[in-house]
Amino acid sequence: MAVLSSGPIENNPVNGSRPTTQVLVKVINTSAASSATVLIQGYFLNGTRNLYVLEQVNVGANQVVTRNYFANLNAFEFVFTTSGTAAEDTQVSMWGRNAAGQLNTSHRLVSEEHLGAE
């Protein structure tokens, strides 16, 4: 089991709009035979840490799962907990998207960049 965190991400408006309004999460299981489970938790940060996303995703062998979450917030954090026989073969990436759906590279995190990643 691994617990990965994006850490707190500031998302204050710039020229009247936020850099990120949605978060795109991709979960990849590279195991040829085993499945994994990923618990996705999203937190709204406004002086306190408030849970607003809670989803458990089952990822089969050689499967890719994509999820989109609301992120039109001043600050947020995502935590990913992997478990199952393919937990070590499971990678998570997180991408911010602006209102037009374009990727926001400053809010991009891949597996090796998450806090807690080995």
Side-chain angles (χ1 to χ4, degrees), residues 44-81:
F44 167 45
L45 309 175
N46 67 344
T48 59
R49 194 170 179 244
N50 301 293
L51 182 68
Y52 79 101
V53 171
L54 180 62
E55 183 177 10
Q56 184 169 302
V57 178
N58 295 313
V59 188
N62 286 320
Q63 186 178 15
V64 177
V65 174
T66 303
R67 294 289 191 267
N68 287 291
Y69 300 107
F70 176 83
N72 197 7
L73 307 162
N74 282 337
F76 57 89
E77 174 188 19
F78 275 79
V79 177
F80 308 97
T81 305

Side-chain angles (χ1 to χ4, degrees), residues 102-117:
Q102 297 171 326
L103 296 177
N104 176 357
T105 57
S106 64
H107 292 170
R108 174 198 59 86
L109 296 158
V110 294
S111 289
E112 291 77 17
E113 296 173 331
H114 290 286
L115 297 177

Side-chain angles (χ1 to χ4, degrees), residues 29-43:
N29 178 356
T30 60
S31 170
S34 300
S35 64
T37 301
V38 178
L39 178 64
I40 302 171
Q41 297 169 290
Y43 294 92

